[in-house]
Structures are given as C-alpha cells and as structure tokens.
Amino acid sequence: MVNSQILRDTVLAAYLMDCSSLIILRLDVQGTVREASSYARSVLGENVTGMFFTDLLVDFRKTFDLAQFRSELAPRLLSFLTPGGMPQTFRVSYLPCGKDGFMVGEHNAEEFEQVQSSMLKLNQEMANISRELQQANAEYRRINEQKNQFLGMAAHDLRNPIGSIISYMALLLEDGDGLSPDVVNILKDVSSLADFMLYLVNSLLDYSIIEQGRLVIEYNWTDFGLLAAHTVAVNRLMAQRKGIRLECTPVDVGQVYCDIHKVKQVINNFLSNAIKFSPRNSVITLRLVYDPAHVRLEVADQGPGIPQGEQERLFKPFGRTSVKASEGEESTGLGLAISRRIVESHGGTIGVESELGQGSLFWFELPRRKADV
Amino acid sequence: MGESQPDLEMFYQRYLYGLLDGDRAGCQRIVQELLDRDISLKDLYYHILQRALYDVGDLWEQNKISVAREHMATAMTEHLLTMVYPRIFSIPRCGRRAVVSCIANEFHQLGAKMVADILELHGWDAFFLGSNTPVSDLVSMVREKRPDLVCLSLSIQFNLPALLTTLDHLGKAFPDLPVIVGGQAFRWGGSERIADYPAARYASSIYVLEEMVMAW
C-alpha cells in the first residue's frame, strides 16, 4: 500500500516536473532555486537553477517579501523576467516541503481566454473599419472621376459659345463706327471678360484632362533657349502695360526633348503670374541654367513674395494664397497645378523660392532626354 | 492569371503551412505574389483563402490543431483580405445594393465578409455589418440603405432559432425584400426551415450564391 502510494506520487511528480505547463521551482531556505521543472526552464531560461527566486521577478517597487510570501501561503500573481524580454505573469502558490519548498506557477486560463477573445474582436473591428475605409475611398475615387468628366464636358461645351462672343465683340469693335465712347468701353470690358472666361474654361479643360490621366506628352527635340525667348516676347506687351521690364538674356542651352506646346504653357504661366503679382515699373527676369543632363528655367519677380506656410499650396488645384495680384488681375488657381503635372510628366521638378517683401523665384527643371516617368 | 492548377496548388500548400505557422508576413508575400501575377480574385478567394480556412477548420475538428491556432488563422485571413480590397472596390458598379450580416450572437464573421466581397466583385455595393448584429440594428440598416438583397450568415447551428426570428422581423418590415441565408451551420441540416419564409432562399455554397447573384 505504502509502496504503491510512493510509486503514484513519483509518477505524478515526474509528470509535473517534465511534462506539465507549470512553473515549478524547488527553493532552499535561502530562496535559491535548486530544481526547476522543464516548463520553468523553457520560460525562465535554462540556467534558472542556482539563481535567487527574487532575481527572477519583475518587482519595480521592491515590495516582494519572500519570507512573508512563504509564511502566508496565499497564491499571488507574480511577473517573471524571461530571456525573450517579455515578462510573463503566473498565479504562484508556495507549497512548503520540509526545509525546502516549491513555488508553483500556473497560467490564468480564464484571463487568457478573455484576452484572446478581446484581441480577436479588436482584429475583426479593425478589419471591418479597413474594409469600410477602402470602400469609401473607392467611392470617392469614382465620384472624383465623375466630377472630372463633368468638368471636362462643361468646359468643352462652353468653349464654342465663348469663342463666338469673342469673335462678335471683335467685329463690333472693328466696324463700330458711330458707337459712343461709353459703348466702346463697355464692349472692350465685355471682350476682356470673355477672354478671361475662355482662359478659365481652357484651364478647366486642361485640368480635367490631366486628372483623368489623359495628358499626352508629345516629345520633340526643341531649341529650349529659343522657346523661352519666344514666350518672353509674347508676354512683353502685357508687361509693358504695367511698365514692367521683362529681362531675358539669350542663352544657347541646346536641344531638349520635350513637348514644346506644354512647356511653353508652363513658361507662359510663370511669366503671366509674375506680371500679375508684380508692382508697376518693376523688373521680371527669366534665366536659364543648364548642364549636360538638365535644363532649368527661373522666373524672378519683385512682387510682394509668398508667406512660407502658403507656398506648398501653390501647386495644388485652386491653391490660392493670401497674396493679391497688384492691380486686381484675375486668375483661375489652376495654372501652377497644371504646370506641376506637365513638368512631372516630363520627369522634371518644379518649385518656388520666396520671402515676404523679397519677391519670388519660380523654377522648373527638365531632363534633356526623355526620363522614365 | 495564366496560372496552371499545379502552380496554384504549390502556392496553396505554401500558404496553408504559413497560415498554420502564424507566418503572417509569409502569407502576405504569397498573396502579393499572386496578385502581382494577376490571379483572378475568384481564384484567390475560392482556391486559396476559403479553401485554407475550410482545411484549418477540419484540422481543428480532428483535434490536430488548437482553437487558438484556428482563431489565429482566421485573424490572419481577415488581415490578408484587406490587400484585395483596392482591386475589388475599383470594379465598376452595377447599381445594386446588398446588406450582409451575421445575426445576433454569431461571432464568426469571415464567411459573411467573403459573401460581401463576392457581391462587390459583381459590382454590387455590399454593406457589411459584421458579427453579432442585433435584429434592430439590421432592420434599421435595411431601412437606411434600401438594399435589393439581404444576406445572412449562420455558422453555429444552435443559433438557428435566432436566424428564424430575424427572418420573421425582416419579413414583417420588408415583405418583398429577398433574403439569402447560408453558412457552415447548415452542414448539419436546418435549411428546410428556410422554405417557410417566402422571400428567403438558402444558398448551399458560395458558388450557389454567386449563381443566384449572376442571375439577378
């Protein structure tokens, strides 16, 4: 009977020490670990034997009293340091056994389950939110495409009637003998407004084409210096009306592989903006800088400058700033956004350097040869 | 995708082992590789994601893996599905709407979510309400979204009475609104009870559901 009980206890003890998921540590009177279960060694490290029990614990406030714990015999939650660095918490009981005693730590299965199900619930919620977000994004993309299509159609359909208004105005002003000076002035105002409307409609059309991903770059080898000089000449009349001097030193920068019309549109945009925002009798300078691989065009004005915090907005659609045109000239808010897309489609970069009261310098840089965009 | 079946099988075996190992990054790489090879989303859903979940479920039923591992596989699949969404949601819309939901006390939502995604693949706008949706929430969502179809998922058989109660409520509030029910719970019977509800139909598999949707 006694033998069979010893045998049973031995079998059970061997199972608990070798196979169970229990932290079992035999401590001597000083609190040194003399023996450790297989699971304890896997969690706390193979060299746990010989260490002081208190050194195994995460005890930030140094409140753990081994002697008191041994005397109270009440289970307690203790967090152990692990070689992986992640502390693990066990519900630990002390079982006295002669001079020595056993520390037995077990996982709290109920807590484990709760944490697991909370994590699963959180994961589900996160995945659902992610789904809704992507669904909403797709919807916004669709709406945006519809908006661009509408914009394109509206701009396209408006272009012809505005063109007719401009033609009729020109005819009236040409053959308008006998019209009073007041009427002529009104007709000139209407004509100028119609010009602006056409410009606005064309910008909207350009923008919608770009936004729909239909911007086509038609590459040709182009004399870049000549292109810049020609665009300056076109803008000179508008500058002269405000007494502004447009300076451009002719430079032979050689050939650049680009879309001549679209790059001209960008230079035009830089120059017309500079004229709009510059005070009367100031100077605008166009400069070309180049190296064997790139060409850079800069337009510097003596305008009011752009506040630092507003500069990023400039190249976004309708990204207006607090700076006003010097004589109330109108603008669409699309020119620089279109310019950015054109330059980037060439594999180039675009930017501005400006300080309040110090004028602005708009620049763009293109690779001489076609870049992989 | 010009992927032959043996290749797909090889991807599947790698994916399943990754799922059982908890190797989320590995599974993500496999799904990304398949997407890069332009696998059809149906193939990805049916032959990789869904098949793996069924196999994981079988392994759990045979006590070959723990429930924790089965949960981990489910959680990983939920995450991997998000990789497919940009493609699913960019498919042109057909103008039809569906509300897809689990009933109250049903916490297994992945099957229902896949149903919602299959509907999206066919151009439907599928509003997925998630797990454990109370009847009152379901009814108010149907009232708000005015869908052409409601899909309900049942994965635990003892929730069948709750499903029937839900069908009662929907039938009273929206007598003509078609409802499709399905889910793993019907593997042990109960589908015949659906015949008592004139607007409701039972879809025995995701393929059957897809046929119903295509015939809409």
Side-chain angles (χ1 to χ4, degrees), chain A residues 277-334:
Chain A
F277 289 90
S278 290
R280 283 191 164 267
N281 305 318
S282 58
V283 179
I284 293 169
T285 314
L286 185 146
R287 201 164 78 98
L288 292 171
V289 187
Y290 62 100
D291 64 31
H294 301 89
V295 60
R296 177 184 165 106
L297 183 144
E298 298 175 351
V299 173
D301 64 44
Q302 297 174 332
I306 303 150
Q308 201 71 35
E310 299 180 14
Q311 290 177 15
E312 204 181 318
R313 227 186 278 168
L314 279 169
F315 296 95
K316 292 179 179 166
F318 309 106
R320 295 172 192 279
T321 65
S322 57
V323 186
K324 301 277 179 254
S326 63
E327 297 187 1
E329 293 99 322
E330 294 179 270
S331 73
T332 61
L334 287 169

Side-chain angles (χ1 to χ4, degrees), chain A residues 75-122:
Chain A
R76 188 170 155 178
L77 286 179
L78 293 177
S79 293
F80 289 86
L81 294 161
T82 66
M86 185 66 81
Q88 285 200 36
T89 304
F90 293 85
R91 187 173 174 274
V92 180
S93 307
Y94 181 69
L95 313 174
C97 182
K99 283 183 190 168
D100 294 350
F102 289 98
M103 287 289 183
V104 180
E106 57 194 310
H107 282 295
N108 186 339
E110 198 181 333
E111 187 187 54
F112 227 65
E113 280 296 317
Q114 274 175 4
V115 171
Q116 184 183 264
S117 80
S118 300
M119 295 288 280
L120 285 169
K121 198 159 171 273
L122 274 174

Side-chain angles (χ1 to χ4, degrees), chain A residues 124 128 131 135 138 142, chain B residues 89 107 109 113 117 120 126:
Chain A
Q124 278 189 346
N128 292 352
R131 188 179 192 281
Q135 206 171 15
R142 267 193 288 276
Chain B
F89 294 133
F107 293 91
Q109 65 165 21
K113 188 181 266 185
D117 292 349
E120 293 277 353

Side-chain angles (χ1 to χ4, degrees), chain A residues 113 116 120-121 123-128 130-132 134-136 138-139 141-142, chain B residues 68 71 75 78 82 85-86 89 91 93 107 109 113 116-117 120 126 128 130-131:
Chain A
E113 280 296 317
Q116 184 183 264
L120 285 169
K121 198 159 171 273
N123 185 68
Q124 278 189 346
E125 284 170 13
M126 202 175 73
N128 292 352
S130 170
R131 188 179 192 281
E132 281 172 26
Q134 302 224 35
Q135 206 171 15
E139 185 60 19
R141 267 197 299 276
R142 267 193 288 276
Chain B
H71 284 159
E78 291 242 27
T82 60
Y85 290 150
F89 294 133
I91 286 167
R93 307 288 87 192
F107 293 91
Q109 65 165 21
K113 188 181 266 185
D117 292 349
E120 293 277 353
F128 176 61
S131 63

Side-chain angles (χ1 to χ4, degrees), chain A residues 80-360:
Chain A
F80 289 86
L81 294 161
T82 66
M86 185 66 81
Q88 285 200 36
T89 304
F90 293 85
R91 187 173 174 274
V92 180
S93 307
Y94 181 69
L95 313 174
C97 182
K99 283 183 190 168
D100 294 350
F102 289 98
M103 287 289 183
V104 180
E106 57 194 310
H107 282 295
N108 186 339
E110 198 181 333
E111 187 187 54
F112 227 65
E113 280 296 317
Q114 274 175 4
V115 171
Q116 184 183 264
S117 80
S118 300
M119 295 288 280
L120 285 169
K121 198 159 171 273
L122 274 174
N123 185 68
Q124 278 189 346
E125 284 170 13
M126 202 175 73
N128 292 352
I129 289 168
S130 170
R131 188 179 192 281
E132 281 172 26
L133 192 71
Q134 302 224 35
Q135 206 171 15
N137 278 345
E139 185 60 19
Y140 291 141
R141 267 197 299 276
R142 267 193 288 276
I143 291 169
N144 195 38
E145 274 165 26
Q146 284 170 0
K147 183 258 303 173
N148 287 330
Q149 276 170 8
F150 168 76
L151 205 66
M153 283 188 316
H156 187 265
D157 291 351
L158 280 171
R159 213 155 50 153
N160 290 342
I162 295 170
S164 302
I165 291 171
I166 290 170
S167 305
Y168 287 132
M169 282 297 150
L171 271 176
L172 271 174
L173 286 167
E174 253 178 57
D175 305 332
D177 297 341
L179 292 174
S180 73
D182 282 352
V183 172
V184 170
N185 283 338
I186 289 171
L187 288 177
K188 280 182 179 170
D189 283 349
V190 172
S191 183
S192 141
L193 285 171
D195 281 341
F196 177 68
M197 259 169 84
L198 187 63
Y199 167 63
L200 186 69
V201 161
N202 281 336
S203 296
L204 284 173
L205 200 57
D206 282 348
Y207 175 69
S208 80
I209 284 170
I210 291 171
E211 284 297 292
Q212 288 173 57
R214 295 196 287 120
L215 179 71
V216 180
I217 303 291
E218 288 171 10
Y219 285 96
N220 277 301
W221 284 108
T222 305
D223 183 331
F224 202 80
L226 204 63
L227 171 66
H230 179 70
T231 317
V232 167
V234 170
N235 281 275
R236 195 152 267 145
L237 185 68
M238 191 165 63
Q240 278 168 1
R241 282 188 198 137
K242 286 177 83 174
I244 293 169
R245 201 166 75 242
L246 255 182
E247 286 185 354
C248 170
T249 316
V251 187
D252 183 8
V253 296
Q255 300 279 314
V256 175
Y257 199 54
C258 64
D259 185 322
I260 185 166
H261 298 294
K262 294 205 168 56
V263 171
K264 196 171 174 179
Q265 193 177 347
V266 178
I267 305 173
N268 239 329
N269 184 259
F270 276 16
L271 289 172
S272 63
N273 276 349
I275 294 166
K276 278 179 202 166
F277 289 90
S278 290
R280 283 191 164 267
N281 305 318
S282 58
V283 179
I284 293 169
T285 314
L286 185 146
R287 201 164 78 98
L288 292 171
V289 187
Y290 62 100
D291 64 31
H294 301 89
V295 60
R296 177 184 165 106
L297 183 144
E298 298 175 351
V299 173
D301 64 44
Q302 297 174 332
I306 303 150
Q308 201 71 35
E310 299 180 14
Q311 290 177 15
E312 204 181 318
R313 227 186 278 168
L314 279 169
F315 296 95
K316 292 179 179 166
F318 309 106
R320 295 172 192 279
T321 65
S322 57
V323 186
K324 301 277 179 254
S326 63
E327 297 187 1
E329 293 99 322
E330 294 179 270
S331 73
T332 61
L334 287 169
L336 286 173
I338 293 169
S339 298
R340 179 171 70 92
R341 293 296 177 93
I342 291 174
V343 169
E344 287 176 354
S345 298
H346 280 82
T349 46
I350 192 168
V352 61
E353 290 158 23
S354 185
E355 258 182 66
L356 269 182
Q358 303 292 314
S360 304

